[in-house]
Amino acid sequence: MRKAYIYKGFERFWHWTQASLIIFLALTGFEVHGTFHIFGFEMAARFHRVASWMLIVLVVFAIFWHIVTGEWRQYIPTTKKLKDQILYYSFGMFKGEKHPTKKTELSKMNPLQRLVYLAFKLILVPLTVISGILYMFHKTFDQNNMVVIEDVSLGSVAFWHTLGGFLLMIFLIVHVYMTTTGHTPTSNIKAMITGYEELEDEDEEKENNNTEDIKL
Ligand code: HEM
């Protein structure tokens, strides 16, 4: 095994800040929705708006970072070994089988992670953020008589936004469970905190490497 630097400083900052903001937005958002009572409706709505601007700024910086560092290539989807990965998570890991794909600095994600994270970035986050912005400016757009939102009722904006919130919570639960399926139950979480993770040696990797290396 060798110690490899997998997650860079900004990546870790962005990951944990995004996670905290999404959890806080879920707490305040579902209070606005009427699911529970923590801050009181007024405060919850105010906190939700402030946190949502913070998330928007963070997402803009993260998009910029992914583009300039070339890290966006980590998310290029592939079907190679996808079936093996699904079978591993469904059965193999419970029988103590080896991971079907190997992690390297140039290819940190297995085929299933690539697909799921790509959908998270291109569908789930945009759905929640765009519907949230439409929600926030619904009245303003109405008053200015802007076509953008005229035909979309507040009810349907709220529906899509709440759906986004629900799906994000499902993602969060499954995501946290999946982080425990690394070499040890905490190795993936530790890697996202320190940046470093124990990976198989180069030679061993060359023999076993199943994911295509990506040139960054
Ligand atoms: C940039 C991101 C977001 C924006 C701009 C945004 C904006 C809004 C706005 C304007 C409202 C109406 C309440 C109010 O007037 O303050 C709202 C409600 C809500 N938000 Fe968000 N939000 C965002 C992210 C999230 C996230 C990440 C979640 C959950 C994980 C979430 C869950 C909810 C829920 C459940 C409601 C209540 C919907 C209803 O019952 O009508 N929001 N959001």
Side-chain angles (χ1 to χ4, degrees):
M1 299 295 275
R2 65 188 174 90
K3 209 170 189 187
Y5 190 49
I6 291 280
Y7 301 113
K8 325 248 170 1
F10 176 80
E11 204 170 7
R12 286 175 279 139
F13 163 78
W14 155 69
H15 174 270
W16 292 115
T17 313
Q18 177 170 276
S20 313
L21 284 172
I22 288 179
I23 292 169
F24 187 67
L25 281 159
L27 278 179
T28 49
F30 282 104
E31 169 145 16
V32 169
H33 188 66
T35 313
F36 41 68
H37 182 89
I38 302 172
F39 305 104
F41 182 86
E42 294 289 322
M43 286 305 263
R46 202 175 300 166
F47 286 157
H48 194 80
R49 281 171 186 237
V50 174
S52 70
W53 281 115
M54 291 165 78
L55 182 65
I56 290 170
V57 172
L58 184 72
V59 166
V60 170
F61 273 98
I63 292 171
F64 182 72
W65 181 84
H66 278 83
I67 294 171
V68 296
T69 58
E71 283 284 322
W72 62 271
R73 293 195 181 92
Q74 299 271 2
Y75 300 85
I76 297 173
T78 171
T79 50
K80 204 178 164 194
K81 294 274 170 187
L82 179 62
K83 201 174 146 207
D84 293 348
Q85 196 64 50
I86 295 171
L87 286 174
Y88 171 76
Y89 284 136
S90 312
F91 310 104
M93 69 177 183
F94 301 110
K95 294 190 226 153
E97 283 174 13
K98 281 194 81 181
H99 274 265
T101 52
K102 297 284 163 282
K103 210 176 198 175
T104 70
E105 288 91 331
L106 294 182
S107 180
K108 323 193 259 219
M109 281 175 270
N110 69 50
L112 190 62
Q113 284 174 318
R114 285 178 190 229
L115 264 189
V116 171
Y117 294 155
L118 191 67
F120 176 85
K121 282 167 189 282
L122 296 185
I123 302 171
L124 196 48
V125 171
L127 168 74
T128 316
V129 171
I130 293 168
S131 59
I133 292 171
L134 293 179
Y135 209 149
M136 191 143 43
F137 290 108
H138 198 270
K139 274 212 176 91
T140 318
F141 281 128
D142 265 3
Q143 276 161 7
N144 294 340
N145 216 11
M146 285 176 78
V147 224
V148 200
I149 193 73
E150 219 173 40
D151 295 335
V152 188
S153 73
L154 188 58
S156 68
V157 171
F159 168 79
W160 288 108
H161 192 62
T162 309
L163 179 70
F166 265 113
L167 293 176
L168 276 174
M169 288 306 95
I170 293 170
F171 171 86
L172 186 77
I173 293 164
V174 177
H175 179 64
V176 172
Y177 165 67
M178 296 304 272
T179 63
T180 63
T181 63
H183 282 299
T184 68
T186 53
S187 63
N188 283 337
I189 291 181
K190 277 188 193 141
M192 196 45 102
I193 296 171
T194 64
Y196 289 92
E197 188 170 349
E198 296 275 330
L199 299 180
E200 275 185 31
D201 288 328
E202 297 287 339
D203 294 345
E204 230 176 305
E205 258 163 30
K206 276 191 191 119
E207 274 169 37
N208 302 327
N209 207 351
N210 305 311
T211 38
E212 285 162 68
D213 264 3
I214 305 161
K215 302 269 175 302
L216 290 176

